[in-house]
Amino acid sequence: MKAIGYTTSLPITEAQALFDFETAAPTPGPHDLLVRVKAVSVNPVDTKVRRRRAGSAEAPVILGWDAAGIVEAVGAEVTLFRPGNAVFYAGDLNRPGTNAELHLVDERLVGPKPASLGFAEAAALPLTALTAWEGLFDRLQVPMDGGEGASLLVVGAAGGVGSMVVQLARQLTRLTVIGTASRPESRAWVERLGAHAVIDHSRPLSEEIAAAGLGPIDYTYSLTQTDRHWGEIVKAARPQGRIALIDDPASLDALPLKAKSLSLHWELMFTRSLFATPDMIRQHEILAEVSRLVDAGTLIATAGAAFGTINAENLKRAHAAIESGSTIGKIVLEGWD
C-alpha cells in the first residue's frame, strides 16, 4: 500500500521531512477495523510529533490521526461495524497513523461517517470534535443544555478545535459564548459558527472582556498560546471558575489560581486510547452523536482548505500551513494518486 512517512525530525522545507513510500498492508487484531482511507485532515499534533523525534527511526514512521474511509475488513471480536461501512475517527498515538491507504483502528474509537458529508468534510471533524466535546463536558463539566447565565471564553476560536467548541457550546448549552480572533477573516468565521461575541486576542483579554461588558468568565477553554494569555485568563475568571487547556506551555504557574479557587483541567483526546481506559468506547459514542448532529444540521463541517490528494508534497504544504499558526478551520486531503 501507499503511505507517507518520515524517519528524522527535519524542518518541513526539507525534501525528506515527509516522503512517499510503499509498505505491506496491516492485518486486523481482534477489535480492529481495517479501513481504506479516503480522506485525512492535518492537525497541530501531526507537526508536533514530526518535529520531536529523538534520533532516526529504522523504518518510516506514518503520521496522521484524522481519517474518513470505508471498512475493508474487521477483527474477530468486532461488533460495532462491518465491511462496507463508511466511518470517521481520530485514531491512536500508539499506532501507525492514517497517512496510508489502509489503516488499523480499534472499533471503540470510531464513529459512523455523517451521511450528509463527503469523505473530506468528514475527515475534518473527529479529533477536533472529540477534543471539544471532552473538554467542555468531561473536563470543564459544563452541564448539557445548561449553563444559563454563565459564560465561556474560547481562546483561539477560529482554529479546528475552537470551531467545534463554539458550535457545541452554542448548540448544546445555554452559555454565553465568547470567542477570540484577531483577523477580520477569522473573526467572521467565529461569528458564523455562532459565538455571541468575538474579542481580539492581540489585546489584553481582560480589557477586551470588560469593554464588551461580558465578564467575569465562568469557564475558559484555552486552545493556543496559553502561556501568553495566562495572566489575563486568570484575571478575567470568576472566582471558583474553571479553566481547561490543550496546548503545551513551556511553563505554567498555577499559584495565581489559589486566591480565586480556580480549577485547572487538561484535555488530551488521546488519553483514553493511550491508556486503554475502561470507558474507551465513549469516543465511539461521542462520534456517533456528532455524526447525528451533523446530519440533523445542528453542526456544520469545519474544513477550511483542501490541499489536494494524499501525498508527501501536499502533506508538507499542510504541515507548513499549520506551523504558520494562521489557518482557519481544518486542512483536508482526499484520494490517492
Side-chain angles (χ1 to χ4, degrees):
M1 67 175 183
K2 295 178 180 178
I4 298 95
Y6 78 112
T7 56
T8 306
S9 292
L10 295 169
I12 200 58
T13 53
E14 296 285 335
Q16 291 298 103
L18 292 170
F19 54 84
D20 300 295
F21 71 104
E22 294 271 340
T23 188
T27 301
H31 287 283
D32 286 342
L33 309 179
L34 178 65
V35 177
R36 183 163 293 278
V37 174
K38 298 291 188 180
V40 300
S41 69
V42 182
N43 296 281
V45 65
D46 299 53
T47 70
K48 290 176 184 177
V49 173
R50 194 201 83 246
R51 288 180 291 175
R52 292 177 182 176
R53 171 162 292 278
S56 182
E58 292 183 8
V61 176
I62 302 172
L63 297 173
W65 286 277
D66 270 331
I70 300 290
V71 177
E72 184 125 324
V74 301
E77 298 178 27
V78 167
T79 61
L80 299 173
F81 299 96
R82 62 180 184 272
N85 287 159
V87 296
F88 73 148
Y89 57 92
D92 180 346
L93 282 174
N94 292 317
R95 308 184 73 171
T98 59
N99 295 336
E101 286 185 290
L102 293 166
H103 182 250
L104 292 181
V105 61
D106 190 299
E107 64 169 340
R108 292 167 289 186
L109 305 176
V110 177
K113 183 186 78 67
S116 59
L117 298 184
F119 286 101
E121 288 181 310
L125 290 172
L127 188 147
T128 55
L130 287 165
T131 302
W133 190 293
E134 291 181 354
L136 281 173
F137 302 119
D138 294 353
R139 315 299 173 224
L140 290 173
Q141 297 183 345
V142 173
M144 191 78 71
D145 198 33
E148 189 168 2
S151 55
L152 168 70
L153 174 65
V154 185
V155 181
V161 176
S163 296
M164 293 307 301
V165 174
V166 170
Q167 291 190 78
L168 290 174
R170 185 62 198 269
Q171 297 297 332
L172 303 183
T173 80
R174 300 180 186 180
L175 295 169
T176 296
V177 181
I178 306 157
T180 81
S182 60
R183 293 175 291 144
E185 59 269 33
S186 55
R187 183 185 189 95
W189 173 255
V190 177
E191 289 173 343
R192 179 190 168 203
L193 295 173
H196 292 94
V198 184
I199 63 173
D200 186 351
H201 55 225
S202 69
R203 300 173 56 83
L205 293 179
S206 64
E207 294 179 12
E208 287 281 289
I209 291 164
L214 296 169
I217 301 299
D218 299 274
Y219 302 96
T220 298
Y221 202 167
S222 183
L223 308 173
T224 184
Q225 298 186 327
T226 297
D227 41 5
R228 171 187 165 192
H229 298 297
W230 185 240
E232 291 295 305
I233 288 170
V234 174
K235 186 176 180 180
R238 186 186 301 278
Q240 303 184 85
R242 295 171 180 262
I243 301 169
L245 59 149
I246 66 169
D247 58 338
D248 304 298
S251 64
L252 198 70
D253 182 7
L255 192 58
L257 304 179
K258 183 176 181 180
K260 290 184 175 180
S261 295
L262 300 172
S263 60
L264 176 62
H265 308 264
W266 288 94
E267 161 57 17
L268 178 64
M269 184 228 74
F270 294 112
T271 295
R272 283 176 160 130
S273 55
L274 272 171
F275 298 97
T277 60
D279 66 346
M280 197 162 76
I281 198 169
R282 183 68 185 130
Q283 293 205 334
H284 162 73
E285 295 166 350
I286 292 169
L287 288 175
E289 180 62 8
V290 168
S291 184
R292 186 191 69 79
L293 291 168
V294 169
D295 285 340
T298 304
L299 300 177
I300 66 171
T302 56
F307 273 42
T309 54
I310 307 168
N311 60 42
E313 200 57 40
N314 289 338
L315 277 169
K316 285 197 287 186
R317 290 196 299 117
H319 278 236
I322 294 288
E323 290 174 11
S324 77
S326 61
T327 57
I328 297 175
K330 293 292 293 292
I331 295 172
V332 295
L333 298 91
E334 182 175 18
W336 297 83
D337 294 329

